Amino acid sequence: MNQFISVHDVADINALVAKAVNYKANPFMHHQLAANKRIGLLFLNPSLRTRLSTQVAAANLGMEAVVFNVDKEGWALEFEEGAIMSGNTVEHIKDAAPILGNYFDVLAIRTFPSLINKADDYSEMYINQFIKYAGVPVISLESATLHPLQSLADIITIREQIMQNKITHKPKIVLTWAPHIKPLPQCVANSFAQWMNAWGEADFVITHPEDYELNEKFTKGAKITQDQDAALKNADFIYVKNWSTYNDYGKIYENDPKWMLTNEKLATTNNAKVMHCLPVRRNVELSDEILDGPNSLVTQLAGNRVWAAQAVLAEILMNKK
Ligand code: CP
């Protein structure tokens, strides 16, 4: 692996999951793997889990992680080729990225979408410009359209539950849209769909209100329905997430609380385990009774972000040797 931007960078999902599970059992088994190496964690947007789990993962491999909150502490970056920089941007990425590549062995970057210009966001200009000019492996800490470290942790968590609960049938996994007060990126939902389809070991269903169709590039292969009740029936896992509209880009068309998952809805499932990437708006996106109840996997899932990051870092470092 020489970068981690999407599921397409992964040769074997189950092998990467197994590697992560091994690190969970023995976090320090490769504590010298990245001795004297550094990773730069660049944030153009906020983070709790991604930032801290990647720092812990790097430390477990003997790697120094340096965090740079570019949005608050750095010069305003320009990403457009040929830009006449007479506006607010101060430094071009083609000047900044090679310097960062000089300081660090690996770079990781979080860049959210604008949710204003779909073509720009879906071209992944920011992360692609970093890759083009950095000269070292780049890891996505969530980009304009995808969140691969989250999706890897999602599958690790599902695999753990399948093993713990001795699930022998093909699990039914439902991605359900949930209400939210702000327009959110489609990244987590796109990425979960992309990884589920590539993994191929689940009966994968997506349910959302009218007008909330995701990009087919990521969802193709999934069953898609606007009937949430039908989708949830006999589900083994429910992934709850809000996203804003994709077609009429970045809008909120629907906020009906009837889409929020409750214990009443859970009763129709196969005692489904409930996942959410966090942060979550309680009693808007997901109810207290679910989040605080026995079926919630949110804390376990967030914990698994460390092992996902550690497995990816190790793959990249072993490839670099
Ligand atoms: N799930 C997730 O990426 O969390 P953060 O935004 O806090 O990193």
Side-chain angles (χ1 to χ4, degrees):
M1 189 188 287
N2 54 16
Q3 64 173 27
F4 187 71
I5 306 302
S6 83
V7 77
H8 301 306
D9 297 310
V10 181
D12 182 337
I13 293 174
N14 282 332
L16 191 59
V17 169
K19 193 177 187 99
V21 170
N22 279 342
Y23 279 131
K24 186 169 184 172
N26 191 353
F28 307 112
M29 65 196 267
H30 293 143
H31 69 283
Q32 288 288 343
L33 180 70
N36 304 321
K37 293 198 187 301
R38 293 192 183 90
I39 181 169
L41 305 179
L42 314 175
F43 287 88
L44 281 79
N45 305 94
S47 168
L48 186 153
R49 282 143 289 270
T50 306
R51 169 178 169 155
L52 297 173
S53 62
T54 309
Q55 282 182 281
V56 173
N60 289 348
L61 296 170
M63 189 176 213
E64 185 184 358
V66 177
V67 174
F68 182 27
N69 295 312
V70 184
D71 58 333
K72 297 184 187 70
E73 297 155 4
W75 299 114
L77 292 172
E78 176 62 57
F79 289 84
E80 287 276 354
E81 294 289 344
I84 298 169
M85 291 172 55
S86 56
N88 292 328
T89 55
V90 177
E91 178 159 27
H92 203 283
I93 192 63
K94 68 165 74 174
D95 300 314
I99 295 162
L100 295 166
N102 192 283
Y103 296 160
F104 296 102
D105 302 281
V106 178
L107 285 169
I109 179 164
R110 168 165 281 200
T111 64
F112 283 173
S114 66
L115 291 180
I116 295 165
N117 185 320
K118 177 161 63 174
D120 277 1
D121 288 347
Y122 274 71
S123 74
E124 289 283 14
M125 180 173 67
Y126 284 21
I127 201 157
N128 284 332
Q129 290 288 71
F130 254 97
I131 292 166
K132 184 171 172 187
Y133 293 114
V136 294
V138 172
I139 295 175
S140 168
L141 300 172
E142 188 169 351
S143 65
T145 68
L146 294 170
H147 195 354
L149 282 173
Q150 179 66 52
S151 306
L152 176 56
D154 296 338
I155 294 188
I156 293 165
T157 309
I158 290 167
R159 284 287 305 170
E160 277 181 332
Q161 287 294 315
I162 288 172
M163 302 305 277
Q164 276 170 28
N165 298 314
K166 299 184 172 57
I167 296 174
T168 52
H169 61 274
K170 197 174 194 182
K172 181 175 180 182
I173 301 179
V174 179
L175 168 63
T176 181
W177 182 90
H180 203 283
I181 57 158
K182 292 176 82 173
L184 296 192
Q186 294 104 32
C187 311
V188 170
N190 284 343
S191 198
F192 188 71
Q194 186 189 48
W195 282 68
M196 277 292 117
N197 285 327
W199 190 45
E201 296 191 13
D203 175 17
F204 179 47
V205 181
I206 303 172
T207 183
H208 58 70
E210 190 179 1
D211 300 318
Y212 279 83
E213 292 75 18
L214 293 162
N215 187 328
E216 266 191 30
K217 181 169 114 180
F218 306 115
T219 61
K220 204 170 174 151
K223 297 180 192 112
I224 303 172
T225 174
Q226 291 174 12
D227 185 342
Q228 190 195 43
D229 291 341
L232 295 179
K233 209 155 184 267
N234 298 322
D236 297 291
F237 295 89
I238 307 169
Y239 203 97
V240 178
K241 187 71 186 85
N242 170 269
W243 61 87
S244 59
T245 54
Y246 168 71
N247 287 325
D248 182 21
Y249 194 55
K251 305 283 192 309
I252 296 180
Y253 273 14
E254 167 77 77
N255 232 344
D256 192 335
K258 78 172 189 219
W259 276 86
M260 188 177 71
L261 192 65
T262 57
N263 277 343
E264 195 182 339
K265 290 180 192 240
L266 203 61
T268 69
T269 69
N270 188 23
N271 195 26
K273 299 293 182 188
V274 180
M275 303 167 71
H276 187 288
C277 62
L278 304 179
V280 65
R281 293 212 180 219
R282 281 176 173 255
N283 303 310
V284 175
E285 204 179 356
L286 197 45
S287 58
D288 274 345
E289 63 185 12
I290 295 282
L291 281 164
D292 300 330
N295 290 45
S296 172
L297 296 180
V298 296
T299 307
Q300 181 184 333
L301 172 54
N304 284 336
R305 292 291 308 273
V306 172
W307 319 117
Q310 194 165 337
V312 167
L313 266 176
E315 283 278 306
I316 286 175
L317 291 163
M318 284 168 179
N319 188 55
K320 248 175 90 87
K321 275 189 165 178

